[in-house]
Amino acid sequence: MSIPVLAMVALLPILVALVLMVGMRWPSTKAMPLAWLVCALGAIGAWNLPVGYVTALSLQGIVIAIGVLIIVFGAIIILYTLKYSGGMETIQYGMQNISRDKRIQAIIIGYMFAAFIEGAAGFGTPAALAAPLLLSLGFPPLAAAVICLVFNSFPVSFGAVGTPILVGLKFLGPLAKTAVEAGTPGLNFVDFGSFAKVIGQWVTMMHGPMVVILPIFMLGFLTRFFGKNKSWSEGFAAWQFCIFAAVAFLVPYLTFAWLVGPEFPSLIGGLVGLGIIVAGAKAGFCVPKDTWDFGPQSTWDADWTGTIATSTSTEFKPHMSQFKAWLPYILIGAILVVTRIPELGLKAVLAAQKLPFTDILGYKGVSASIDYLYLPGTIPFMLVAILTIAIHGMKGEAVKQAWSESFVKMKAPTIALFAAVALVSIFRGSGVADAALNPNNYPSMPLAMAKTVAAIAGNAWPMLASYVGGLGAFITGSNTVSDLLFAEFQWGVAQQLELPRQIIVAAQVAGGAMGNMVCIHNIVAVCAVTGLIGREGMILKRTFWPFMLYGVVVGIIASLMSFVFLPNLF
């Protein structure tokens, strides 16, 4: 069977998910199991994979999904613990004292606070934490979900202390070394660390313009689709604060990427930027004179809301000090940093604690594990939720309500994520290098799609390379896994077309980051914490256009670097 035909087969489950969720508005709880079935049948029928092997891959996906669900549950339990302790209303009170303008709140929480959390933890954590916080401040659930998904893009390449680059590109190390030894122009890496640093530098150049453009665009998007006047200009009116926030983030972001490496750009950029813009907002610096809000909930479209109620209060009362109310989030940030920096020693200890599932159903290499202590859902989320009981002096009935409601909210995302991640596992495992399992030696499903697109694109590849990274993130739910899937392919295409390999790989990394906006994995997770399970297609329709815009900007930069700037340097 030809590669293009295989690519069409591989595309079918994605089309099924898109048509059912976006076109027919099916909930992910129904659409994703059907998409998984189509994927499994394609793997058995077109790839000739054994039924037992496909079953093992699906079980592997379920094990991986359990890890994701632990993160989602941890984010939900933090939300409900703060709700019933009075901490959330205190935060709302303090946030309104910073600014009552929902545009400013969107930038502080969705843009900057989430960037810090992404830099520390990654893997969908920012949207799971930031979206409920926006919800509690009076944002419609749909608006909170879209804002947080779209903003969780430019920090992702350096998320989880640089994991997408340091882990996602690990298989490029030998290829880069060979290219350096061959005297390839522009490649002068000493070791993998210096290679990763250079890739990170180019990635910041691709993200840089969108760090500025995205907040302005999304505030216009917010006021156009969720404002009572349906006006883009009301959002654009806050452009000065957006640029202020972008500069506050970009300076440390670029500084650490270019001088230190890929571990800290997003973490430090988000932390430093958050302090700067909160102080600026309090002082009224670059803040619009008028205050913008969504209007009364009675005027909202029914599609904007879900099963978790948006705060209806216009006035909030403090139940404790602001420090005590924010202390759970401060602890989360501090614990994430301490447990994610290898040199501090805790990362290795926590990561070593695993519940392994090795060679599932006897198929060698089909393995997974649940890192029950290293997952942010347990440490710090659930740990901090337990500590908050004492910190906020919660009574037994309040604790019981918080935990019982959190468990109830887990039913729908469990079904959707089991199916979605099982599908991803089949995608990744379909290209196994084993004649008994893959008798035709076919490439994996994602690789078949990428090869087909590359053959058609030719020298236009720099414009399209980021979309392959986005496709990887859409399928797998991870920038890191997208890079693991496609980085070697991107390197090979660049070599074949005589394009600067470091630029094409950087476009892959940037594309994997922007793919977080549209990946089913993240959409289901954020729907779970905002009570929007069943509205995944509606969210995907709204995040698709920022995703496309992001890819155009990255493509233009990659093309200029490939054909104008870099060739003149060597």
Side-chain angles (χ1 to χ4, degrees):
M1 193 175 291
S2 68
I3 298 297
V5 173
L6 289 173
M8 290 302 298
V9 174
L11 186 62
L12 278 177
I14 297 174
L15 290 177
V16 167
L18 288 174
V19 169
L20 293 180
M21 289 196 297
V22 179
M24 301 178 65
R25 294 195 174 189
W26 279 30
S28 60
T29 51
K30 293 182 179 179
M32 289 315 301
L34 189 54
W36 164 81
L37 180 61
V38 171
C39 182
L41 292 175
I44 295 167
W47 264 258
N48 294 322
L49 302 179
V51 173
Y53 179 60
V54 173
T55 303
L57 290 174
S58 299
L59 292 173
Q60 179 191 48
I62 288 174
V63 173
I64 296 169
I66 290 172
V68 179
L69 288 165
I70 290 173
I71 297 174
V72 171
F73 178 77
I76 291 175
I77 193 61
I78 284 290
L79 170 66
Y80 280 103
T81 298
L82 288 175
K83 174 183 175 181
Y84 286 105
S85 73
M88 190 57 71
E89 187 173 0
T90 305
I91 289 171
Q92 292 166 321
Y93 172 81
M95 187 60 65
Q96 286 200 339
N97 286 340
I98 295 173
S99 175
R100 292 176 178 268
D101 194 318
K102 292 295 185 282
R103 296 168 297 186
I104 304 304
Q105 293 175 357
I107 296 299
I108 292 174
I109 300 297
Y111 179 89
M112 199 67 77
F113 173 69
F116 163 67
I117 296 298
E118 175 62 42
F123 299 102
T125 306
L129 272 179
L133 188 51
L134 289 179
L135 199 70
S136 71
L137 290 169
F139 279 63
L142 187 63
V146 170
I147 283 287
C148 291
L149 283 167
V150 172
F151 281 155
N152 191 32
S153 49
F154 57 86
V156 174
S157 295
F158 305 98
V161 200
T163 299
I165 292 176
L166 296 175
V167 176
L169 303 183
K170 65 181 181 180
F171 296 127
L172 286 186
L175 295 177
K177 182 179 178 182
T178 300
V180 170
E181 292 172 350
T184 303
L187 297 178
N188 54 359
F189 316 120
V190 177
D191 52 27
F192 179 74
S194 61
F195 169 68
K197 182 179 178 181
V198 169
I199 295 298
Q201 291 169 345
W202 291 120
V203 169
T204 62
M205 301 305 291
M206 295 178 184
H207 282 312
M210 289 307 294
V211 172
V212 179
I213 294 169
L214 203 59
I216 300 173
F217 174 82
M218 286 309 297
L219 289 192
F221 186 95
L222 187 72
T223 58
R224 167 62 182 87
F225 291 99
F226 298 98
K228 55 186 175 183
N229 297 323
K230 306 297 181 185
S231 167
W232 286 91
S233 61
E234 289 181 329
F236 294 157
W239 67 271
Q240 290 178 315
F241 191 82
C242 291
I243 293 177
F244 169 50
V247 172
F249 176 81
L250 271 174
V251 171
Y253 179 78
L254 293 172
T255 300
F256 273 80
W258 283 79
L259 298 182
V260 180
E263 293 91 345
F264 298 109
S266 294
L267 191 154
I268 300 298
L271 183 61
V272 172
L274 184 63
I276 291 172
I277 68 169
V278 166
K282 281 184 176 180
F285 183 70
C286 292
V287 174
K289 293 181 179 179
D290 63 307
T291 298
W292 184 86
D293 203 342
F294 293 99
Q297 287 196 26
S298 59
T299 65
W300 293 1
D301 292 351
D303 290 338
W304 297 0
T305 57
T307 59
I308 296 178
T310 300
S311 173
T312 57
S313 298
T314 56
E315 295 294 335
F316 299 103
K317 296 179 181 179
H319 297 269
M320 59 193 73
S321 68
Q322 284 295 316
F323 175 76
K324 185 180 286 189
W326 276 97
L327 186 54
Y329 285 115
I330 295 170
L331 289 173
I332 286 171
I335 293 170
L336 284 171
V337 171
V338 170
T339 57
R340 265 55 183 176
I341 297 176
E343 289 75 13
L344 297 179
L346 279 176
K347 179 176 181 177
V349 174
L350 295 178
Q353 310 306 311
K354 300 177 182 291
L355 180 60
F357 294 83
T358 307
D359 298 338
I360 297 172
L361 299 185
Y363 288 95
K364 189 175 181 180
V366 183
S367 303
S369 64
I370 300 173
D371 302 340
Y372 54 90
L373 290 184
Y374 187 67
L375 288 169
T378 48
I379 298 177
F381 292 173
M382 279 188 258
L383 172 62
V384 170
I386 294 169
L387 293 175
T388 302
I389 296 171
I391 293 170
H392 289 182
M394 294 178 68
K395 295 181 179 179
E397 184 59 32
V399 174
K400 180 181 177 182
Q401 283 183 296
W403 283 79
S404 61
E405 284 194 36
S406 298
F407 277 111
V408 168
K409 297 298 179 188
M410 292 301 297
K411 179 181 177 182
T414 297
I415 297 170
L417 277 171
F418 276 177
V421 185
L423 181 153
V424 168
S425 187
I426 295 172
F427 258 75
R428 294 174 60 199
S430 56
V432 60
D434 185 329
L437 301 177
N438 186 8
N440 299 306
N441 195 30
Y442 286 151
S444 67
M445 291 181 173
L447 201 54
M449 288 189 286
K451 283 186 174 183
T452 302
V453 173
I456 297 170
N459 281 329
W461 187 251
M463 277 298 301
L464 301 175
S466 65
Y467 287 115
V468 171
L471 172 66
F474 172 81
I475 294 169
T476 66
S478 166
N479 192 169
T480 301
V481 179
S482 176
D483 293 344
L484 286 169
L485 279 176
F486 288 133
E488 290 176 278
F489 164 72
Q490 297 269 22
W491 182 278
V493 171
Q495 184 174 12
Q496 183 178 344
L497 299 176
E498 298 183 349
L499 296 168
R501 277 162 262 188
Q502 64 271 43
I503 298 305
I504 301 303
V505 171
Q508 157 65 36
V509 176
M514 73 189 194
N516 275 259
M517 301 182 194
V518 295
C519 75
I520 301 300
H521 174 302
N522 282 0
I523 290 175
V524 172
V526 81
C527 282
V529 298
T530 55
L532 288 171
I533 288 294
R535 310 281 178 83
E536 294 83 5
M538 192 176 301
I539 290 176
L540 186 57
K541 284 173 69 175
R542 286 164 172 78
T543 58
F544 175 76
W545 295 111
F547 168 78
M548 294 302 294
L549 171 65
Y550 210 119
V552 168
V553 173
V554 172
I556 290 171
I557 297 169
S559 297
L560 289 173
M561 289 178 174
S562 296
F563 299 118
V564 180
F565 298 145
L566 283 187
N568 292 330
L569 294 177
F570 309 112

